[in-house]
Amino acid sequence: MIGRLNHVAIAVPDLGAATALYRDTLGATVTPPKAEPDHGVTVVFIELPNTKIELLEPLGENSPIAAFLAKSPSGGIHHVCYEVDDILAARDRLKASGARVLGTGEPKIGAHGKPVLFLHPKDFNGTLVELEQA
Amino acid sequence: MIGRLNHVAIAVPDLGAATALYRDTLGATVTPPKAEPDHGVTVVFIELPNTKIELLEPLGENSPIAAFLAKSPSGGIHHVCYEVDDILAARDRLKASGARVLGTGEPKIGAHGKPVLFLHPKDFNGTLVELEQA
């Protein structure tokens, strides 16, 4: 069911400093920051040959990563995102297996403009899993 | 400098249960378990089209992931591994920039039979980074 690893998301407290770290210290290609007010984050992508790393900085009040950074102020790996061909079929299969889908269970349009769902980390070995329709 | 994302490693308390979860619930291809006594872990790989997820279960005493699982008993994302062309050149560049290389600073032969180094998570936004010579 799951296909490509679309991205690994890392929450960071300071996107400018994190961009410099990945660009200058690790020598990676980093995209310009993009504010995603609907998702409560500002994002840059580290473009690797086979996938990407998404660096997330909180934006505005009620950012979905604010609690994570309150607990881990220097940042940390926040989630992994797998691609699926059919997000509704994936959701139904997961729910039938007993996995919990976060929120209403209806896909939302994610930061990449595609339908996404998040799965409860307690059902996946402490890993927050995002599914994105490819 | 950094190239492909070689893998994302997830520490799990029960490799059999985690294998079933990724194989049956998420529909992924999972390799048979392989004991790596020199590295204190038993490993399976989730083979995705563009990269792999490494599930790690502690093996023996002094497993390098024992402390992580003591803190997060249900598991969690442990590290990300980036490929580099020349691990000694990468290490020297990183040390010159002030990043801390764990251990002696000399590459060890990792679970894939290639030279690896780990970088201090405090220098990379709370993310344990492994570098592997491609």
Side-chain angles (χ1 to χ4, degrees):
Chain A
M1 184 172 75
I2 58 172
R4 296 177 74 259
L5 178 74
N6 185 275
H7 64 268
V8 178
I10 298 176
V12 303
D14 178 339
L15 200 56
T19 293
L21 182 68
Y22 278 84
R23 185 188 58 211
D24 302 336
T25 305
L26 289 171
T29 301
V30 186
T31 64
K34 188 177 176 200
E36 300 273 4
D38 289 351
H39 297 96
V41 289
T42 304
V43 180
V44 303
F45 293 107
I46 298 158
E47 295 179 331
L48 303 177
N50 60 332
T51 188
K52 53 187 184 280
I53 309 293
E54 190 178 84
L55 301 182
L56 305 172
E57 181 188 68
L59 176 64
E61 293 177 25
N62 304 316
S63 171
I65 61 169
F68 181 93
L69 284 168
K71 201 172 162 190
S72 302
S74 61
I77 302 174
H78 186 263
H79 66 266
V80 291
C81 175
Y82 301 118
E83 296 178 3
V84 293
D85 286 334
D86 181 335
I87 200 159
L88 294 177
R91 176 198 63 186
D92 292 345
R93 173 175 167 161
L94 286 159
K95 287 179 80 169
S97 75
R100 284 167 285 180
V101 176
L102 298 184
T104 62
E106 293 306 312
K108 291 187 177 178
I109 299 302
H112 309 143
K114 294 181 174 178
V116 302
L117 284 173
F118 284 89
L119 308 178
H120 201 304
K122 284 198 192 304
D123 295 334
F124 293 92
N125 293 291
T127 302
L128 178 60
V129 174
E130 180 179 14
L131 298 180
E132 178 175 305
Q133 187 154 302
Chain B
M1 186 171 75
I2 57 171
R4 295 176 75 257
L5 178 74
N6 185 276
H7 63 267
V8 177
I10 299 176
V12 303
D14 179 339
L15 200 54
T19 294
L21 182 69
Y22 278 84
R23 184 189 58 210
D24 303 335
T25 305
L26 289 172
T29 300
V30 185
T31 63
K34 189 177 175 201
E36 300 273 5
D38 290 351
H39 297 96
V41 289
T42 303
V43 180
V44 303
F45 294 106
I46 298 156
E47 295 179 331
L48 303 177
N50 60 331
T51 189
K52 54 188 182 283
I53 309 294
E54 191 178 83
L55 301 183
L56 305 172
E57 181 189 66
L59 176 64
E61 292 177 24
N62 305 315
S63 170
I65 60 168
F68 182 93
L69 283 168
K71 200 171 163 190
S72 302
S74 61
I77 302 174
H78 187 262
H79 67 265
V80 291
C81 175
Y82 302 117
E83 296 178 3
V84 294
D85 287 333
D86 181 335
I87 201 160
L88 294 177
R91 174 198 63 186
D92 293 345
R93 174 175 168 163
L94 286 159
K95 287 179 80 170
S97 76
R100 284 166 285 179
V101 176
L102 297 185
T104 62
E106 292 306 311
K108 292 187 176 177
I109 299 301
H112 309 142
K114 295 182 174 179
V116 302
L117 285 173
F118 283 89
L119 308 178
H120 201 303
K122 285 199 191 302
D123 295 335
F124 292 92
N125 292 292
T127 302
L128 178 60
V129 174
E130 180 179 14
L131 298 180
E132 178 175 305
Q133 187 154 301

